[in-house]
Amino acid sequence: MGVRGAGGRSPGEQQVRLAVLEGVLERITYANEENGYTVARVDTGRGSGDLLTVVGALLGAQPGESLRMEGRWGSHPQYGKQFTVENYTTVLPATIQGIRRYLGSGLIKGVGPKIAERIVEHFGTGTLEIIEMEPERLIEVPGLGPKRTKKIAAAWEEQKAIKEVMVFLQGVGVSTSIAVRIYKQYGDASISVVKNEPYRLAADVWGIGFLTADRIAQAVGIPFDSPERAKAGLQYALSQATDNGNCFLPEERLIADAVKLLQVDTGLVIDCLAELVAEEGVVRERVPDAEGGEPLSAVYLVPFHRAELSLAAQVIRLLRGPEDRMPAFHDVAWDKALAWLKDRTGADLAPEQEQAVRLALTEKVAVLTGGPGCGKSFTVKSVVTLAQAKRAKVVLAAPTGRAAKRLAELTGAEASTVHRLLELKPGGDAAYDKERPLDADLVVVDEASMLDLILANKLVKAVPPGAHLLFVGDVDQLPSVGAGEVLRDLLAEGSPVPAVRLTRIFRQAQQSGVVTNAHRINSGVPPITQGLPDFFLFTEDDTEEAGRLTVDVASRRVPARFGLDPRRDVQVLAPMHRGPAGAGTLNGLLQQAITPGRPDLPERRFGGRIFRVGDKVTQIRNNYEKGVNGVFNGTVGVVTSLNSEEQRLTVLTDEDEEVGYDFDELDELAHAYAVTIHRSQGSEYPAVVIPVTTGAWMMLQRNLLYTAVTRAKRLVVLVGSKRALGQAVRTVSAGRRFTALDHRLMGAIRD
C-alpha cells in the first residue's frame, strides 16, 4: 500500500544492514508530531500474545495496519528488547483476524469493529479483494444498505489515493495528516502539483509552511538558487512577520531575514524582491519610522497593505461623515439624562466616566480604555442604557465567545462575536460590509486590544454612515494575536480619534488583591503575595518542579479549597508553549489529572495528542468552513462525543455551538487545560494559575504578566521563582510592532 519514512541511506546499504520485521500495529504509546518519532507496540503473530516495542519513523501508521518494517534490533535498559524502525511499508493483512482488526481500526470511515466483524464473517479472507474489485457486493452483508456500501467504497478509494500520495512523499518526511490535506486540496492533481509547483503548497495547504514546501522542492529537483524559491522565501519571511504581529517589515530587515532563511546571495534576494514588487506579489512603500529616525522602506503582503489603507479611510469616513444616527444627544440636557441614569443604575458616574459616556454618544468614533477596577464595564452599561432610552439600535460585539457572553451579562442586551456579527463566510468574506452595512445606530466593541488589523477592517467597513462606534479595551494588555496594534494606533498621540482613559480605581475594587496587584505590576511594582485572600505565590525555583506543582495546584488544591471545577473554573496560563512549565507539557499532565484514560471512555490518538470525551480543547487556526460562521483561532470548548466508526469528534464551544471534526482534522485542535497567556486574551476565568519560571526567561515581560493576572475574576495563584517574577515586573516589552495605521490616520487629518 505504501512506503514511508525512508532513513536517508542508499538502498544498497539498507539491504545489507537492515533487519526486517512484520507485524500488526496494536497501539501507539507515544508520537512526536514535529519529528515523527514514535513508540509503538506490534503483534508479530507468534502466538505468545506478547507485544514487541518498536521505535522510530512511524508517523502516519494507524493501529490495525499490518506493517513490514526495516530497521535494527537493540535493547533499552528500562524497556528491554526493541526494534528501531528506519522505514516501513503498509501490507494488506492476509489472515481473517488481521483483516478484521484492519477494517475495524477506524481507518475507513463508516466501518467500526461491529461492521468489520459482519463483513469479514461474510467474505472471509477475500474481504479486501471484494472491497477493492467488487464493492457493490458489500450489500450482501446483513445490515449494510446501498448508502453505507457506497460510503465504504468511496472511503476505500480515498484511502488508496492518499496512500499513493504518501508513497510519493515518503522521502520528504511529510506526515499522513499533511498528505491527506494535500489530497483534499488538489485531488488527482496532487502528485503533479507537488512535483511541478511545490511552493504552492505553502500558500494553499494549512499546516505546510515554506520549510516543508522547500524540503519537498529540493526532493523533486528544484534548484537551490531558483528565483521561484527566493520569491517563496521572501513571502514566507513576510508571513512569519505577520504571524509575529507585524503588518510590514522594513526592506533591509526582510532581505536579511530571507538571506538567512534561504542561504543564498543577497543580490539574488534583492533582484527577486524587485520582481515580486513588479508582479504586485508584495507592496513597497515609504512610511515614517516609529522611533523618529529616517523614513523606512516598508514591504507588505498585499492583504495587510490593503487592510491598513482601508481601515484608516473607514475610520476617517465615519468621523467626518455629515450623517448622525443619534442626533438626540447633541442637544440633550445632560444633568437630567445623568440623573435619570442614576435612578436606573443606582450609582453616580465618576467625572471621567461621565466624559466617556458623553463622548461615545456625541462622537461617531471613540475609544474607552483603562485597567481593571476603573469602571469600564459600568461606563459601557451606562452608554448602552442611555442609547436604548432614545430608541437607538445598539449592536454589541467582542472578539471571543467568552468576552461576548460577559458583555451580554453586563448590559442585559444581546452580544455576539465579531465573526458571527459580520456573518463571515467560507474564504473569510463577510456578509456585512460597506455595500451591505449593519443595521445599527451604535456599535460597541469590547476587548478591543484583541482586534487585529484584518478583523478590525472587516468590522469598521460594516458600520453604516452616521452610526457611532465605541472601542473598549485595556491598551496595556498584550496586543492582538494577529498582525497590528489597532487599539494602540487609535490611541496614538495626534490620532484624530477622541478617547478617554479611566485611571481611578474604585473603592470596592481596591479591596481585591487581583485588581491591586494588576495595577502594581502595570506600574512596575512587585505584587503583594502574602496576606491576601485571593492572590498567592507558591515558591519553587526548579522549573520542572514548578511545572508539577502548577498541575497539583490547578487540578487538586484550588478546586478543593475554593470549591471550583478544575475543568470549567480554573485555567492555567503559561508564558510560553515549550519547556517543562510550558503549556504543551502542562496540558499532558493536566489531562492525566483531570480527564485520565478509562476503559469506558472513548479516545483517539492524533500525532502526539490523545483526545477524550470531556477534554477541554481550543481551535488553533481560523477555519471559515466550520460551524455556522466559521470557528476561529482561540475558540475554546469541550469534547462531547467521539465516534470511531464515523471517525468524527464533536466539540461544544463556549458559544454553545456543536462543531464536528473528522479525525484527519484533529491537528486543528489542541488541549486547553493550559494555554499560553497570548491565547487567553479576551477570556475571563474564576481562577488562574500562572507558572512564572526562569525557564521562560525571554518571555517574562510586564504586559504578559499583567494580561495573565487581569484574566482572573476571583483568584490568582503564581507558581515559580521570585527571581523570575521580579524579571517579569521589571521588563517592559521590547519596542512596537511594525504598523503604519497611526501614521495613516494622522495623514488623513492633514489631507
Side-chain angles (χ1 to χ4, degrees):
M1 289 282 273
V3 184
R4 300 176 224 183
R9 295 182 183 79
S10 72
E13 274 186 292
Q14 288 188 341
Q15 281 166 5
V16 172
R17 296 184 185 174
L18 299 183
V20 174
L21 175 71
E22 292 193 0
V24 176
L25 181 58
E26 286 292 320
R27 66 173 180 271
I28 292 170
T29 51
Y30 170 79
N32 183 317
E33 290 165 87
E34 288 175 20
N35 60 21
Y37 181 80
T38 306
V39 179
R41 304 279 280 163
V42 297
D43 182 353
T44 55
R46 297 209 173 119
S48 62
D50 289 344
L51 298 180
L52 179 74
T53 298
V54 298
V55 299
L58 276 171
L59 193 62
Q62 298 287 350
E65 287 188 315
S66 293
L67 306 179
R68 184 179 189 278
M69 296 161 281
E70 294 183 314
R72 290 178 175 72
W73 289 101
S75 185
H76 187 279
Q78 192 176 343
Y79 304 112
K81 187 179 180 184
Q82 61 183 33
F83 188 78
T84 300
V85 181
E86 292 283 340
N87 55 57
Y88 74 94
T89 315
T90 51
V91 185
L92 288 179
T95 66
I96 293 247
Q97 185 190 353
I99 293 168
R100 190 188 295 122
R101 178 75 213 272
Y102 178 69
L103 270 189
S105 66
L107 199 67
I108 296 157
K109 213 178 230 181
V111 180
K114 285 177 187 165
I115 300 275
E117 182 82 40
R118 270 192 245 151
I119 296 173
V120 176
E121 206 170 280
H122 191 80
F123 295 116
T125 52
T127 295
L128 300 181
E129 202 175 319
I130 295 287
I131 297 175
E132 171 81 32
M133 309 301 291
E134 304 174 84
E136 65 281 357
R137 283 191 58 196
L138 287 168
I139 204 158
E140 296 171 19
V141 177
L144 283 195
K147 201 172 167 187
R148 176 72 67 90
T149 302
K150 261 190 190 160
K151 203 170 168 186
I152 292 170
W156 179 265
E157 283 303 312
E158 188 179 31
Q159 272 300 321
K160 257 181 29 187
I162 290 166
K163 298 269 183 188
E164 281 175 33
V165 176
M166 282 302 305
V167 172
F168 181 69
L169 294 175
Q170 56 139 337
V172 196
V174 174
S175 70
T176 311
S177 61
I178 296 291
V180 168
R181 284 227 195 84
I182 291 172
Y183 181 75
K184 278 189 174 174
Q185 180 75 29
Y186 305 117
D188 293 341
S190 296
I191 289 174
S192 165
V193 170
V194 170
K195 265 186 183 168
N196 303 313
E197 305 172 86
Y199 291 107
R200 260 182 73 186
L201 300 175
D204 295 351
V205 183
W206 183 74
I208 295 188
F210 171 81
L211 299 178
T212 302
D214 197 36
R215 204 164 65 231
I216 294 169
Q218 301 304 303
V220 298
I222 300 236
F224 201 65
D225 59 354
S226 76
E228 186 192 358
R229 179 173 183 265
K231 287 180 197 174
L234 279 160
Q235 288 179 307
Y236 172 71
L238 277 177
S239 75
Q240 285 290 96
T242 61
D243 286 350
N244 291 328
N246 298 299
C247 298
F248 67 83
L249 274 186
E251 184 175 357
E252 286 179 11
R253 170 134 164 222
L254 171 61
I255 290 167
D257 286 358
V259 167
K260 189 176 173 187
L261 170 75
L262 296 162
Q263 299 288 299
V264 294
D265 288 344
T266 306
L268 174 67
V269 172
I270 291 170
D271 291 346
C272 288
L273 177 57
E275 279 180 41
L276 266 179
V277 172
E279 294 162 4
E280 298 184 356
V282 298
V283 177
R284 186 162 48 187
E285 185 189 349
R286 301 288 283 180
V287 301
D289 178 13
E291 308 295 320
E294 289 294 307
L296 303 170
S297 175
V299 185
Y300 287 81
L301 289 172
V302 174
F304 294 91
H305 185 255
R306 280 193 190 139
E308 204 171 76
L309 284 174
S310 168
L311 178 56
Q314 302 301 337
V315 168
I316 298 301
R317 167 183 70 87
L318 288 174
L319 270 173
R320 290 186 179 166
E323 307 100 315
D324 192 337
R325 294 179 66 139
M326 295 203 299
F329 288 101
H330 282 288
D331 50 11
V332 78
W334 281 103
D335 290 351
K336 284 183 181 172
L338 295 170
W340 175 86
L341 184 67
K342 184 182 176 180
D343 281 348
R344 291 293 300 269
T345 60
D348 275 318
L349 289 169
E352 53 189 18
Q353 288 178 305
E354 186 183 316
Q355 185 194 349
V357 168
R358 287 189 185 211
L359 203 64
L361 296 171
T362 56
E363 295 283 357
K364 280 172 282 183
V365 185
V367 178
L368 170 62
T369 189
C374 293
K376 281 199 307 294
S377 298
F378 185 65
T379 307
V380 170
K381 185 176 181 178
S382 302
V383 169
V384 171
T385 304
L386 283 169
Q388 286 173 332
K390 293 287 186 188
R391 305 211 184 308
K393 286 178 184 161
V394 180
V395 168
L396 304 172
T400 65
R402 282 180 182 235
K405 265 187 184 170
R406 200 170 66 241
L407 187 58
E409 287 162 10
L410 161 76
T411 57
E414 197 179 318
S416 69
T417 62
V418 177
H419 303 99
R420 218 174 259 264
L421 173 68
L422 299 177
E423 291 181 16
L424 290 184
K425 296 179 289 197
D429 291 329
Y432 292 94
D433 55 21
K434 200 172 175 183
E435 277 64 54
R436 188 196 173 200
L438 296 162
D439 182 15
D441 302 320
L442 169 66
V443 178
V444 180
V445 190
D446 199 9
E447 294 287 356
S449 63
M450 290 184 67
L451 277 183
D452 61 51
L453 174 69
I454 301 289
L455 187 59
N457 179 45
K458 288 186 201 302
L459 171 68
V460 178
K461 241 189 237 181
V463 177
H468 291 225
L469 173 60
L470 176 64
F471 292 102
V472 183
D474 184 348
V475 76
D476 293 323
Q477 284 184 26
L478 290 169
S480 56
V481 174
E485 282 191 290
V486 174
L487 187 63
R488 192 177 292 277
D489 284 341
L490 290 170
L491 286 164
E493 196 177 332
S495 165
V497 180
V500 172
R501 181 169 192 140
L502 303 179
T503 54
R504 179 187 147 195
I505 306 170
F506 286 89
R507 192 179 305 135
Q508 188 183 350
Q510 286 171 1
Q511 292 160 9
S512 157
V514 175
V515 171
T516 302
N517 278 334
H519 285 278
R520 285 175 71 95
I521 290 164
N522 200 30
S523 52
V525 180
I528 299 161
T529 56
Q530 288 180 317
L532 294 172
D534 59 353
F535 201 103
F536 302 90
L537 169 65
F538 284 81
T539 307
E540 176 51 69
D541 290 337
D542 180 78
T543 300
E544 211 161 305
E545 280 303 317
R548 282 196 280 269
L549 182 55
T550 298
V551 171
D552 188 43
V553 166
S555 63
R556 193 178 62 82
R557 297 193 200 189
V558 165
R561 179 162 170 192
F562 295 93
L564 297 173
D565 181 304
R567 189 184 285 109
R568 190 184 61 240
D569 301 328
V570 184
Q571 184 63 54
V572 173
L573 302 179
M576 57 197 287
H577 183 76
R578 293 172 186 268
T585 301
L586 295 178
N587 262 319
L589 296 171
L590 285 160
Q591 185 193 33
Q592 283 172 27
I594 297 168
T595 317
R598 299 196 315 260
D600 62 326
L601 192 66
E603 60 178 47
R604 171 71 181 185
R605 177 179 284 281
F606 189 95
R609 303 184 183 118
I610 296 174
F611 291 97
R612 299 188 180 115
V613 170
D615 268 339
K616 186 176 180 178
V617 291
T618 181
Q619 173 82 9
I620 56 173
R621 68 170 285 224
N622 288 346
N623 187 333
Y624 297 97
E625 314 283 336
K626 284 206 168 298
V628 179
N629 298 119
V631 180
F632 298 92
N633 189 351
T635 301
V636 175
V638 173
V639 178
T640 51
S641 74
L642 205 153
N643 185 325
S644 297
E645 196 166 295
E646 291 301 317
Q647 294 190 40
R648 203 161 169 78
L649 170 155
T650 306
V651 173
L652 180 66
T653 71
D654 55 10
E655 293 172 57
D656 296 323
E657 182 179 5
E658 286 209 326
V659 179
Y661 292 81
D662 289 341
F663 283 172
D664 60 22
E665 299 176 312
L666 293 182
D667 51 356
E668 293 190 19
L669 287 178
H671 291 103
Y673 299 99
V675 296
T676 60
I677 296 165
H678 279 91
R679 293 189 72 82
S680 74
Q681 288 167 266
S683 294
E684 198 177 63
Y685 315 95
V688 301
V689 181
I690 310 164
V692 185
T693 68
T694 51
W697 196 255
M698 296 303 291
M699 295 295 293
L700 296 175
Q701 293 173 353
R702 187 180 300 169
N703 63 349
L704 191 83
L705 184 60
Y706 173 72
T707 300
V709 168
T710 55
R711 299 305 87 212
K713 277 195 280 198
R714 286 171 48 191
L715 175 71
V716 171
V717 183
L718 306 177
V719 180
S721 76
K722 287 183 176 171
R723 183 166 165 249
L725 179 58
Q727 164 78 0
V729 172
R730 279 192 308 275
T731 308
V732 178
S733 66
R736 292 282 309 274
R737 292 176 166 189
F738 290 116
T739 142
L741 178 63
D742 53 350
H743 145 69
R744 297 186 197 285
L745 287 166
M746 289 177 226
I749 314 171
R750 293 191 288 272
D751 290 347

